[in-house]
């Protein structure tokens, strides 16, 4: 495993004296009272970056169908029986909010050289000039993506769309669709408390002005930001994102499900979002998380495999973030979510026979087998 380091060392921010500045009531079926168990009322399906993230070098056309983190992607996802969509939010230098999965933006400058720009150092107008433009006849600057092997490829998808802001999403996306807002930070930077506070207050201002009755979940890989946003408001649940040990960071709080539990319990968070491989490598962590009255969601490529999703349901996981929203939402409807309670004995028997069934002995065997298989 590669060791990921941060830019410099500093004391962790002291969060003890941060007041709760937003405290209106929120009741969309999620119990936020930490004195009682926090529960999600059903197995949730969440669309990753809307209709699914873009992997431009993939041979699967579904990974290049619709521009991720766009209004078109969000509303395309809303056509399927999803509970939430997940997207990344960052703040520009003038405190405007926008979506982009990467911490950098790549574009062509003079003589064909690829230029790397940190998105948080752009002004809003500069950010919005990339990609398709809303104004008729106006041509935007070409966007590139950087692959894991360091190559640059044009960000070409089958159906493109303009970049957008958080306010755009609240105003233009189907209002019944929940938002899982990932608070995006640089993995390799240390943030002082006043900087985190400013970023989170800018985001919360937009959320509280435009969210109305829309269900909201906050999530972030940044442990201090997770605990701080929980202190700043008690309306919406906050989840701590973790790779579950897939990568190692200087901040040990990011390196395991056990450390993620500590972050949640110390900060009064409502749950964990883990890379599914981390859960499959350590399935024994699931009952510990649930016994701690924490919710558990997962993300990762394996969540695009129907059998892996069904196994998570059997393990007691609360929901999955997926790229193949049509296929997985249908899988969940067919295999997991009973559409209605069957009232006749014949229908009940037919429904039971249509679902995969495991005995406790078989499930125990599978839970022992999965960690060994996941190593390959």
């Amino acid at each position: 495993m590669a060791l990921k380091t941060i830019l410099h060392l500093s004391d962790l921010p002291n969060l003890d004296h941060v007041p709760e500045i937003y405290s209106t009531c929120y009741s969309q079926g999620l119990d936020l009272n930490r004195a009682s168990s926090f529960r999600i009322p059903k197995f949730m399906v969440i669309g990753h970056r809307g209709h699914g993230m873009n992997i431009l070098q993939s041979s699967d056309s579904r990974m290049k169908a619709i521009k991720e983190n766009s209004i078109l992607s969000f509303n395309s996802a809303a056509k399927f029986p999803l509970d939430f969509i997940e997207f990344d939010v960052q703040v520009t230098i003038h405190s405007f909010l926008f979506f982009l999965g990467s911490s950098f933006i790549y574009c062509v400058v003079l003589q064909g050289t690829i230029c790397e720009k940190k998105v948080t150092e752009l002004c809003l107008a500069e950010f919005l000039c990339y990609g398709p433009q809303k104004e008729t006849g106006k041509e935007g600057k070409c966007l590139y993506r950087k692959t894991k092997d360091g190559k640059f490829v044009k960000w070409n998808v089958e159906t493109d769309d303009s970049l957008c802001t958080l306010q755009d999403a609240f105003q233009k996306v189907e209002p019944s669709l929940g938002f899982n807002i990932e608070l995006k930070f640089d993995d390799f930077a240390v943030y002082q408390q006043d900087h985190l506070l400013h970023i989170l207050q800018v985001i919360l201002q937009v959320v509280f002005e435009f969210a109305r009755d829309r269900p909201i979940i906050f999530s972030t890989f940044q442990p201090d930001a997770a605990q701080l946003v929980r202190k700043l408001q008690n309306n919406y649940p906050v989840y701590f994102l973790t790779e579950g040990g897939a990568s190692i960071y200087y901040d040990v709080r990011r390196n395991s499900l056990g450390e993620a539990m500590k972050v949640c319990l110390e900060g009064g968070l409502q749950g964990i979002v883990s890379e599914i491989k981390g859960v499959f490598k350590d399935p024994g962590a699931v009952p510990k998380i649930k016994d701690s009255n924490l919710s558990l969601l997962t993300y990762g490529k394996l969540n695009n495999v129907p059998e892996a999703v069904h196994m998570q349901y059997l393990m007691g996981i609360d929901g999955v973030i997926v790229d193949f929203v049509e296929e997985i939402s249908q899988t969940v409807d067919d295999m997991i979510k009973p559409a209605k309670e069957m009232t006749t004995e014949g229908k009940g028997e037919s429904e039971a026979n249509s679902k995969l069934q495991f005995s406790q002995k078989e499930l125990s065997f599978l839970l022992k087998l999965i960690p060994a298989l996941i190593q390959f």
Side-chain angles (χ1 to χ4, degrees):
M1 294 181 290
L3 179 65
K4 296 187 178 180
T5 59
I6 56 180
L7 295 178
H8 60 85
L9 303 177
S10 70
D11 293 332
L12 294 176
N14 183 354
L15 305 180
D16 294 339
H17 305 295
V18 178
E20 287 188 350
I21 58 174
Y22 302 98
S23 58
T24 56
C25 191
Y26 172 73
S27 58
Q28 296 292 326
L30 302 178
D31 178 13
L32 300 189
N33 183 357
R34 292 295 298 155
S36 61
S37 298
F38 170 70
R39 292 186 179 90
I40 290 177
K42 59 180 180 178
F43 188 84
M44 294 201 307
V45 180
I46 301 170
H48 187 205
R49 301 184 182 180
H51 190 266
M53 75 175 295
N54 298 149
I55 301 181
L56 303 179
Q57 66 273 28
S58 173
S59 59
D60 192 324
S61 61
R62 290 174 294 183
M63 307 303 292
K64 297 172 282 189
I66 303 173
K67 171 70 75 60
E68 66 180 39
N69 280 332
S70 67
I71 299 298
L72 178 62
S73 181
F74 301 156
N75 281 324
S76 296
K79 297 176 183 178
F80 303 100
L82 301 180
D83 301 287
F84 284 77
I85 53 170
E86 180 272 350
F87 51 74
D88 314 279
V89 171
Q90 301 182 61
V91 179
T92 69
I93 55 176
H94 296 303
S95 299
F96 287 97
L97 298 147
F98 56 87
F99 307 121
L100 200 69
S102 170
S103 294
F104 296 91
I105 198 165
Y106 302 97
C107 59
V108 173
V109 292
L110 295 176
Q111 299 178 342
T113 303
I114 301 292
C115 175
E116 178 180 274
K117 298 183 179 181
K118 204 165 187 176
V119 290
T120 52
E121 296 174 355
L122 301 176
C123 66
L124 182 63
E126 187 178 3
F127 172 74
L128 293 177
C129 77
Y130 293 100
Q133 299 296 291
K134 297 177 183 178
E135 297 179 29
T136 304
K138 187 175 181 181
E139 187 173 342
K141 296 180 181 179
C142 185
L143 278 172
Y144 286 75
R145 293 293 288 268
K146 190 175 183 179
T147 64
K148 289 184 177 180
D149 58 4
K151 296 179 180 178
F152 294 96
V153 294
K154 282 188 176 181
W155 196 341
N156 291 333
V157 292
E158 183 177 332
T159 308
D160 212 340
D161 195 21
S162 304
L163 301 178
C164 62
T165 66
L166 183 58
Q167 181 177 333
D168 290 335
F170 278 119
Q171 294 177 328
K172 297 178 181 180
V173 174
E174 163 59 43
S176 64
L177 188 62
F179 284 177
N180 173 8
I181 301 175
E182 181 186 338
L183 310 170
K184 193 81 172 179
F185 294 93
D186 191 330
D187 283 337
F188 309 110
V190 172
Y191 292 87
Q192 300 302 321
Q193 183 179 351
D194 58 347
H195 189 192
L196 284 178
L197 186 61
H198 166 71
I199 292 172
L200 296 176
Q201 286 177 330
V202 169
I203 294 170
L204 288 173
Q205 183 177 354
V206 175
V207 170
F208 277 81
E209 183 174 354
F210 296 103
R212 298 187 178 181
D213 296 328
R214 189 187 299 273
I216 304 289
I217 291 174
F218 289 114
S219 62
T220 181
F221 285 100
Q222 221 289 342
D224 297 319
Q227 294 183 342
L228 183 53
V229 76
R230 182 68 183 99
K231 281 183 172 288
L232 289 173
Q233 58 83 42
N234 60 9
N235 288 27
Y236 305 115
V238 180
Y239 282 64
F240 181 52
L241 274 157
T242 178
E243 294 181 32
S247 298
I248 300 300
Y249 293 86
Y250 182 87
D251 190 335
V252 296
R253 296 174 295 175
R254 298 189 58 180
N255 291 342
S256 69
L257 287 169
E259 289 295 331
M261 284 180 59
K262 291 179 183 178
V263 171
C264 291
L265 296 175
E266 290 171 1
L269 311 188
Q270 281 74 34
I272 296 169
V273 185
S274 174
E275 217 290 346
I276 181 54
K277 289 185 178 180
V279 175
F280 279 166
K281 286 180 180 178
D282 184 17
V286 176
K288 295 177 183 177
I289 292 169
K290 307 301 288 186
D291 288 345
S292 298
N293 293 330
L294 295 172
S295 172
L296 178 60
L297 307 175
T298 67
Y299 71 94
K301 292 181 181 179
L302 281 175
N303 282 357
N304 296 321
V305 180
E307 292 78 7
V309 171
H310 194 227
M311 172 57 78
Q312 292 177 66
Y313 171 74
L314 296 172
M315 293 171 67
I317 291 169
D318 296 301
V320 289
I321 299 173
V322 305
D323 294 304
F324 300 161
V325 294
E326 180 177 6
E327 294 83 349
I328 300 303
S329 61
Q330 186 61 54
T331 292
V332 170
D333 272 353
D334 290 345
M335 293 169 44
I336 298 172
K337 293 180 180 176
K340 293 180 180 178
E341 291 292 331
M342 296 296 182
T343 55
T344 66
E345 183 177 350
K347 287 184 178 180
E349 182 179 350
S350 174
E351 181 190 27
N353 289 337
S354 70
K355 297 180 183 295
L356 294 177
Q357 300 292 317
F358 293 98
S359 68
Q360 280 300 116
K361 185 175 181 180
E362 290 169 329
L363 183 57
S364 177
F365 171 76
L366 287 171
L367 290 176
K368 292 177 181 177
L369 178 63
I370 285 173
L373 293 177
I374 210 71
Q375 303 296 330
F376 295 96

